[in-house]
């Protein structure tokens, strides 16, 4: 029986594709003492960078047909066979409901939102603050009133509240697809929402009331998997078989811990999930390097990922933040930006 099917709800709440433990009060009671004794360098002692995106690069189409700009954490601009989509944009100072408290960026945005090239769509994976920044959405909605917004079921209400026109919003259930068109060149990009093992909610009182998704994106010549947030689960093999192979597979590696392994896979889980998907193309580690969201050192995710890559022969694609970088079959990218002082 396939794991790739429409989302199920019990009352007002969506369910994960497989049984999943999501932290409640009992987990918080276990975690709080760990934070008290924790001595890891969870935020950089010296701010990384400075990083600056050269916006003039976007005036020329990528020779390979596929280019990505990683802005840190899970925010990225993907240029796929003539279509430009912005994934989980967070330009906000903090991944928090307020901008005076909560996880703060390790470094400033590498470019202003009004410096971005013309966009065809913004694609959102879920409504957590490190993936959906209210301030960012408000600015983008004002700058690009005609732009498409693609999001999982239920997030349209949040987008409308932040100023996005209802007619520009497409909500997708798992396994549903939509096509993004670029008007000036006729290019098309098929976007399919795919199940992931996580949860939603912008407060403790509305968990699971909107859907969370990963995405399979397929242009005329290239395919990308945007894994968003997820714990390991058996659906990865089916995703690879049904929607792959992917030229670039973007999987989370940060904010992991044994106490919440069902919803965050970490580097080892990313390596196993990539293998389950067929292990083809390049693996792009994301969901790290920008916010303090866990107990581990901010460098731990990429260090462990590189160690695993060396042991298993994984081909990684990991550029420095803000650098538009071509994705070429079989060509690895391994930046050392994160080493910095004491790295």
């Amino acid at each position: 029986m396939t794991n790739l099917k429409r989302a199920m709800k019990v009352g007002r709440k969506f369910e994960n594709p497989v049984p999943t433990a999501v932290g409640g009060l009992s987990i918080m009671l276990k975690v709080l003492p760990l934070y008290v004794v924790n001595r890891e360098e969870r935020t950089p002692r010296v701010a990384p960078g400075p990083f600056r995106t050269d916006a003039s690069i976007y005036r020329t189409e990528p020779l390979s047909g596929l280019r990505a700009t990683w802005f840190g954490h899970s925010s990225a601009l993907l240029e796929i066979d003539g279509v430009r989509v912005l994934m989980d944009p967070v330009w906000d100072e903090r991944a928090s409901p307020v901008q005076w408290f909560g996880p703060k960026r390790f470094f400033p945005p590498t470019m202003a939102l009004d410096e971005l090239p013309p966009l065809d769509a913004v694609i959102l994976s879920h409504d957590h603050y490190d993936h959906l920044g209210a301030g960012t959405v408000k600015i983008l909605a004002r700058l690009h009133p005609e732009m498409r917004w693609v999001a999982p079921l239920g997030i349209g209400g949040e987008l409308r509240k932040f100023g996005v026109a209802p007619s520009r919003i497409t909500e997708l259930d798992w396994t549903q697809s939509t096509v993004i068109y670029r008007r000036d060149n006729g290019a098309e990009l098929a976007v399919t929402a795919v199940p992931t093992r996580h949860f939603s909610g912008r407060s403790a009182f509305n968990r699971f009331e909107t859907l969370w998704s990963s995405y399979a994106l397929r242009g005329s010549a290239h395919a990308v998997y945007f894994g968003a947030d997820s714990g390991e689960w058996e659906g990865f093999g089916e995703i690879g078989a049904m929607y792959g192979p992917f030229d670039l597979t973007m999987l989370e590696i940060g904010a992991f811990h044994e106490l919440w392994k069902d919803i965050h896979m970490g580097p080892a889980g990313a390596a196993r999930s990539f293998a389950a998907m067929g292990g083809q193309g390049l693996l792009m580690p994301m969901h790290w390097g920008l916010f303090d969201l866990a107990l581990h050192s901010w460098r731990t995710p990429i260090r462990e990922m590189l160690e695993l890559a060396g042991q298993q022969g994984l081909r990684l694609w990991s550029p420095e933040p803000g650098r538009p970088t071509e994705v070429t079959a079989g060509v690895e990218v391994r930046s050392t930006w994160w080493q910095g002082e004491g790295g």
Side-chain angles (χ1 to χ4, degrees):
M1 188 174 181
T2 182
N3 288 293
L4 307 185
K5 54 189 176 183
R6 300 293 170 89
M8 302 291 292
K9 291 183 79 172
V10 175
R12 297 172 58 184
K13 298 181 181 294
F14 288 99
E15 293 192 311
N16 267 295
V18 294
T20 300
V22 175
L25 180 60
S26 62
I27 294 294
M28 289 179 61
L29 293 175
K30 293 178 182 179
V31 170
L32 285 175
L34 298 178
Y35 274 99
V36 172
V37 301
N38 184 38
R39 295 295 180 267
E40 294 283 356
E41 185 191 357
R42 290 168 32 216
T43 62
R45 296 186 184 94
V46 178
F51 305 112
R52 180 65 184 164
T53 300
D54 180 0
S56 67
I57 293 174
Y58 299 122
R59 298 173 192 159
T60 304
E61 298 287 338
L63 292 175
S64 67
L66 179 59
R67 183 167 59 200
T69 309
W70 179 62
F71 298 108
H73 202 63
S74 298
S75 299
L77 173 61
L78 299 178
E79 300 170 85
I80 310 176
D81 300 329
V83 178
R84 293 194 188 104
V85 291
L86 188 60
M87 311 296 296
D88 281 1
V90 178
W91 262 243
D92 301 49
E93 181 72 8
R94 297 178 185 269
S96 170
V98 294
Q99 291 302 291
W100 52 267
F101 181 78
K104 186 178 180 179
R105 304 176 64 96
F106 298 163
F107 53 85
T110 67
M111 65 189 308
L113 288 170
D114 61 6
E115 294 177 312
L116 286 166
L119 301 172
D120 300 301
V122 173
I123 301 177
L124 301 169
S125 64
H126 61 300
D127 65 3
H128 286 163
Y129 290 95
D130 56 323
H131 294 261
L132 195 166
T136 303
V137 174
K138 291 174 182 177
I139 295 172
L140 286 172
R142 185 177 72 249
L143 291 173
H144 306 278
E146 298 301 314
M147 184 172 59
R148 288 277 304 279
W149 293 74
V150 178
L153 295 177
I155 293 182
E158 291 289 332
L159 296 179
R160 291 191 293 272
K161 185 170 69 176
F162 299 146
V164 180
S167 63
R168 308 313 300 160
I169 300 170
T170 300
E171 293 187 356
L172 297 179
D173 195 350
W174 289 338
T175 72
Q176 284 188 321
S177 301
T178 190
V179 176
I180 306 297
Y181 300 96
R182 183 168 170 183
R183 298 176 183 176
D184 61 352
N185 66 1
E188 300 180 6
L189 179 70
V191 178
T192 303
V194 185
T196 186
R197 192 183 188 194
H198 199 57
F199 70 108
S200 65
R202 289 175 78 80
S203 78
F205 306 104
N206 65 353
R207 281 184 167 188
F208 303 99
E209 293 185 6
T210 62
L211 191 58
W212 51 97
S213 294
S214 61
Y215 292 95
L217 302 98
R218 183 166 291 278
S220 59
H222 294 89
V224 171
Y225 176 71
F226 182 80
D229 284 5
S230 181
E232 285 185 82
W233 71 297
E234 50 269 33
F236 279 114
E238 293 183 52
I239 291 170
M242 181 169 292
Y243 300 105
F246 299 105
D247 299 282
L248 188 66
T249 299
M250 306 167 71
L251 294 175
E252 64 149 74
I253 64 169
F256 66 97
H257 193 278
E258 185 67 20
L259 288 174
W260 51 84
K261 64 181 180 180
D262 280 8
I263 56 173
H264 285 299
M265 68 178 77
R272 288 189 293 264
S273 299
F274 182 60
M277 297 175 75
Q280 299 186 53
L282 298 163
L283 170 59
M284 176 182 173
M286 65 173 190
H287 200 263
W288 72 282
L290 189 61
F291 295 113
D292 169 21
L293 300 174
L295 290 159
H296 55 65
S297 162
W298 75 276
R299 293 183 175 101
T300 293
I302 191 63
R303 281 176 171 164
E304 291 192 6
M305 191 75 257
L306 286 166
E307 184 177 349
L308 287 165
Q311 294 169 355
Q312 302 177 23
L314 301 175
R315 290 171 295 179
L316 297 186
W317 194 89
S318 186
E320 74 174 50
R323 184 183 294 275
T325 306
E326 298 248 357
V327 180
T328 305
V331 179
E332 288 191 286
V333 175
R334 297 193 183 191
S335 171
T336 58
W337 71 270
W338 50 273
Q339 292 182 352
E341 185 174 301

